C-alpha cells in the first residue's frame, strides 16, 4: 500500500504541473468541466460523486480514490474537445491497447461471468445507478453508461445467467476515447468501475 501511495505521489506532481498556466477556458471547453470564476473552482459529476477541483492548485475534493484523482488530472490535460463518435470499441481496440486493453477485456468478461452476471438484475441495476450510470435500452439484459468524466462514456453490456447459460458481457469505450485518456488510464477507469460494482452487488 505504501509503495502504491509513493507511486501515486510521484505521478501527481507532474500531472498538476502540466496544467499550470493553461487557460481555464480552454480546459473547460475541451473537457466539458464547468469552471466557476467566482469560486475559482472546476465542478463535475463523476461516478455518482460531486467533485471539485480548486484553481490554481488543482487539488481534488473529495479524493475518494487516488487513481481517480490522477485520471481526472490526466483527462484535463489530454482532452482536446474532439466530438464523441457514434461507434463503440473494446479496450483492446485502443491504439497500442492490444496488451493492456485486451487483458482488461478478458478480465472484465470473467468478472461478469463469475460474479456480476450471477447477481439479481435489479441489484446490479441499482449498483450502476449509484455510480451515476444511465440505463439505456439495448439488446443486452442491462446496458449502463457510466461517465467517470464528462466526455468519457464507458458502456457496460450484461446478459445475466439463467438455467442454460452463464452470465456474459463486456465493457466498451467511445471510439474517440484516445483523445481524452491514455490506454493505461482507460484500463484504470474500467477497473475502478468494475471494482465499485463488485463491492455493491
Amino acid at each position: 500500500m505504501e509503495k502504491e501511495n509513493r507511486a501515486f505521489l510521484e505521478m501527481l506532481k507532474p500531472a498538476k504541473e502540466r496544467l499550470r498556466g493553461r487557460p481555464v477556458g480552454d480546459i473547460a471547453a475541451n473537457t466539458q468541466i464547468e469552471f466557476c470564476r467566482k469560486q475559482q473552482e472546476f465542478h463535475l459529476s463523476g461516478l455518482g460523486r460531486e467533485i471539485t477541483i480548486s484553481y490554481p492548485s488543482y487539488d481534488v475534493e473529495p479524493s475518494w480514490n487516488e487513481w481517480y484523482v490522477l485520471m481526472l488530472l490526466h483527462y484535463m490535460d489530454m482532452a482536446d474537445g474532439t466530438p464523441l463518435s457514434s461507434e463503440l470499441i473494446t479496450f483492446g481496440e485502443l491504439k497500442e491497447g492490444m496488451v493492456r486493453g485486451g487483458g482488461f477485456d478478458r478480465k472484465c468478461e470473467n468478472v461478469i461471468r463469475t460474479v456480476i452476471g450471477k447477481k439479481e438484475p435489479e441489484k446490479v441495476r441499482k449498483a450502476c445507478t449509484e455510480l451515476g450510470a444511465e440505463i439505456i435500452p439495448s439488446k443486452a439484459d442491462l446496458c449502463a453508461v457510466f461517465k467517470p468524466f464528462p466526455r468519457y462514456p464507458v458502456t457496460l453490456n450484461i446478459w445475466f445467467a439463467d438455467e442454460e447459460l452463464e452470465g456474459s458481457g463486456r465493457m466498451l469505450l467511445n471510439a474517440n476515447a484516445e483523445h481524452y485518456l491514455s490506454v493505461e488510464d482507460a484500463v484504470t477507469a474500467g477497473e475502478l468501475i468494475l471494482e465499485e460494482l463488485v463491492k455493491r452487488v
Side-chain angles (χ1 to χ4, degrees):
M1 198 62 145
E2 189 179 325
K3 187 179 177 183
E4 275 195 13
N5 188 259
R6 191 163 62 245
F8 164 73
L9 291 173
E10 283 174 2
M11 289 186 275
L12 181 65
K13 187 177 178 181
K16 288 183 174 183
E17 284 299 325
R18 284 195 297 272
L19 291 167
R20 293 199 205 285
R22 297 264 295 276
V24 292
D26 290 354
I27 293 174
N30 288 336
T31 60
Q32 284 191 339
I33 297 175
E34 178 190 359
F35 182 70
C36 176
R37 291 195 178 274
K38 186 176 180 182
Q39 296 172 301
Q40 292 289 286
E41 292 173 341
F42 291 92
H43 297 277
L44 76 148
S45 296
L47 297 182
R49 292 171 170 83
E50 294 303 314
I51 296 155
T52 300
I53 306 124
S54 58
Y55 176 82
S57 67
Y58 289 98
D59 292 331
V60 179
E61 293 293 338
S63 55
W64 63 280
N65 181 286
E66 291 178 342
W67 302 109
Y68 179 85
V69 169
L70 201 59
M71 281 189 297
L72 171 55
L73 296 174
H74 290 168
Y75 170 81
M76 294 174 78
D77 176 41
M78 276 189 68
D80 62 9
T82 297
L84 295 179
S85 166
S86 57
E87 183 186 347
L88 299 180
I89 59 171
T90 64
F91 285 71
E93 289 175 302
L94 288 165
K95 280 185 184 173
E96 300 177 6
M98 192 176 289
V99 177
R100 286 288 317 274
F104 175 73
D105 288 331
R106 291 186 291 276
K107 176 181 177 177
C108 181
E109 288 166 10
N110 183 57
V111 170
I112 293 171
R113 184 174 64 254
T114 59
V115 183
I116 299 172
K118 292 181 173 181
K119 302 295 183 178
E120 280 292 324
E122 198 48 49
K123 191 169 186 180
V124 177
R125 175 186 290 264
K126 182 173 182 288
C128 290
T129 55
E130 283 175 1
L131 288 171
E134 178 187 1
I135 309 300
I136 64 171
S138 85
K139 293 178 181 177
D141 293 338
L142 177 65
C143 178
V145 181
F146 299 86
K147 283 277 192 80
F149 313 111
R151 276 193 168 137
Y152 206 81
V154 179
T155 301
L156 179 65
N157 288 322
I158 302 173
W159 286 266
F160 291 99
D162 58 26
E163 291 175 0
E164 297 177 2
L165 297 170
E166 292 183 312
S168 63
R170 60 181 8 185
M171 198 177 280
L172 300 165
L173 295 171
N174 189 270
N176 285 338
E178 66 193 15
H179 290 271
Y180 293 91
L181 285 179
S182 67
V183 173
E184 290 75 16
D185 282 332
V187 169
T188 303
E191 287 180 336
L192 182 58
I193 291 168
L194 266 189
E195 183 183 302
E196 291 293 317
L197 278 178
V198 169
K199 280 182 193 173
R200 287 168 167 77
V201 299

